[in-house]
């Protein structure tokens, strides 16, 4: 099997799960070489929690200049995607991006695509917190008539969002589900940056940010996030529903998002790739 030598940018919840999975041999034929975080102490603490001898980078150039690293995993932020992606690709390394919401910026998406094409490198976007991305991509070839993402969260969670506060939406005492936003993904990613990765993944896999509809619902019966996707087109009608449990490392992160990154590494280093 093909071995990949990994650098991780971002040592928070997902980066930590991924690093420990690589260290335990659960992320395919991979070797963790470098950890980088703007908060160096966080990278140092993570390095101390794993048995593999991994170098802590002082700056991003330490990652770019490491000729042994051939795959970089971004697990930091949308800002990190914007700042580092093009340089990573131009340094001759493939790139896994987890903060997919950064690509709601079409200019950035074009720049990253161009850098990948020019350098001959690849960019991988794991499916993250939603299900059925392979089917969505396949169905999109025949064309969509409708693509809708409905995200349901507790009123308590949504009441803390900037959109709800700025629009004076009162979710206190809610006894039944209430729609707090409905519109194209292009508007949803600005209104609800907390859900931008999910909306961006569906938009990129399907018919784009303008033609993908997003509905955000406050549901008092929930204590976890629910993402439901409905796609209708020439290939048929498909519905997926994910009720995600929080990460054991950070309750604000869906566990499945970290597991999706681990599966991507397994796919990249294994002899058989299942799915579209």
């Amino acid at each position: 099997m093909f071995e990949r030598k990994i650098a991780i940018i971002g040592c928070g919840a997902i980066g930590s799960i991924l690093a420990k999975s690589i260290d335990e041999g659960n992320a395919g034929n991979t070797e963790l070489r470098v950890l980088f975080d703007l908060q160096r102490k966080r990278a140092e603490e993570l390095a101390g929690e794993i048995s593999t001898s991994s170098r802590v980078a002082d700056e991003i150039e330490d990652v770019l200049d490491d000729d042994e690293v051939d795959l970089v995993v971004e697990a930091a932020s949308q800002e990190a995607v914007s700042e580092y992606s093009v340089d990573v690709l131009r340094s001759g390394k493939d790139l896994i991006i987890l903060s997919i919401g950064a690509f709601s910026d079409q200019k950035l998406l074009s720049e990253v695509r161009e850098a990948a094409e020019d350098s001959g490198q690849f960019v991988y976007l794991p499916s993250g917190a939603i299900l059925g991305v392979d089917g969505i991509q396949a169905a999109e070839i025949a064309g969509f008539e409708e693509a809708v993402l409905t995200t349901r969260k507790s009123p308590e969670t949504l009441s803390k969002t900037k959109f709800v506060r700025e629009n004076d939406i009162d979710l206190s005492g809610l006894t039944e589900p209430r729609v707090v936003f409905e519109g194209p993904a292009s508007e949803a990613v600005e209104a609800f940056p907390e859900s931008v990765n999910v909306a961006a993944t569906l938009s990129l896999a399907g018919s784009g940010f303008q033609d993908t509809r997003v509905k955000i619902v406050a549901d008092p019966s929930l204590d976890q996030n629910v993402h439901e996707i409905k796609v209708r087109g020439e290939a048929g009608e498909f519905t997926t529903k994910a009720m995600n449990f929080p990460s054991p490392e950070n309750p604000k992160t869906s566990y499945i998002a970290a597991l999706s990154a681990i599966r991507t590494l397994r796919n990249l280093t294994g002899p058989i790739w299942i799915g579209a």
Side-chain angles (χ1 to χ4, degrees):
M1 292 188 294
F2 182 46
E3 183 180 46
R4 305 303 298 261
K5 296 185 178 181
I6 311 296
I8 296 178
I9 297 176
C11 298
I14 293 182
S16 295
I17 292 173
L18 187 56
K20 293 173 183 176
S21 182
I22 294 173
D23 184 55
E24 295 165 0
N26 294 326
N29 191 22
T30 55
E31 175 189 344
L32 180 59
R33 283 188 55 85
V34 184
L35 294 169
F36 173 64
D37 195 290
L38 290 178
Q39 299 180 40
R40 181 184 172 87
K41 183 178 179 181
R42 190 156 61 174
E44 291 175 341
E45 290 176 349
L46 178 56
E49 294 174 2
I50 58 180
S51 60
T52 305
S53 179
S54 302
R55 182 167 59 88
V56 174
D58 291 318
E59 53 189 6
I60 190 62
E61 284 71 23
D62 294 336
V63 176
L64 303 179
D65 294 340
D66 191 324
D67 293 334
E68 292 295 317
V69 171
D70 59 16
L71 178 60
V72 176
V73 181
E74 174 280 316
S77 64
Q78 294 179 43
E79 290 76 18
V81 176
S82 178
E83 188 169 351
Y84 304 137
S85 292
V86 170
D87 289 338
V88 166
L89 295 167
R90 288 177 176 168
S91 73
K93 300 168 179 29
D94 292 337
L95 179 62
I96 293 177
I97 292 177
L98 303 184
S99 303
I100 298 174
F103 288 147
S104 60
D105 180 342
Q106 296 298 300
K107 183 175 181 291
L108 175 62
L109 178 60
S110 296
E111 290 173 350
V112 171
R113 179 183 287 113
E114 182 179 349
E117 291 173 346
D118 291 345
S119 63
Q121 304 304 134
F122 294 92
V123 178
Y124 304 99
L125 308 179
S127 54
I130 61 174
L131 306 179
V133 173
D134 54 347
I136 293 167
Q137 288 181 295
E140 190 275 333
I141 295 173
F144 287 159
E145 297 173 14
E146 180 183 43
V148 180
L149 166 67
T150 301
T151 292
R152 299 178 182 273
K153 298 186 177 185
S154 69
E156 181 182 3
T157 297
L158 285 174
S159 65
K160 299 175 183 177
T161 63
K162 182 179 178 181
F163 178 86
V164 169
R165 294 198 311 270
E166 289 185 346
N167 288 276
D168 295 324
I169 300 174
D170 184 8
L171 300 179
S172 61
L174 206 63
T175 58
E176 58 184 24
R178 176 181 174 182
V179 176
V180 297
F181 173 89
E182 187 168 9
S186 57
E187 296 178 9
V189 297
E190 295 183 10
F192 292 91
E194 302 84 359
S195 302
V196 68
N197 284 338
V198 174
T201 300
L202 175 58
S203 299
L204 291 169
S207 51
F209 285 87
Q210 192 58 40
D211 292 332
T212 299
R213 306 292 296 179
V214 176
K215 183 185 296 186
I216 307 292
V217 180
D219 189 334
S221 69
L222 296 177
D223 58 5
Q224 62 193 102
N225 298 338
V226 178
H227 303 295
E228 184 173 352
I229 294 172
K230 180 180 179 181
V231 169
R232 180 167 52 86
E234 293 297 320
E237 185 172 314
F238 312 92
T239 301
T240 69
K241 183 177 182 179
M243 302 179 67
N244 298 326
F245 290 107
S247 161
E249 300 278 345
N250 185 339
K252 293 183 179 181
T253 300
S254 294
Y255 193 24
I256 191 67
L259 297 177
S260 176
I262 294 170
R263 170 48 65 186
T264 299
L265 287 176
R266 288 188 181 186
N267 287 345
L268 290 176
T269 60
I272 298 176
W273 185 307
I274 301 173

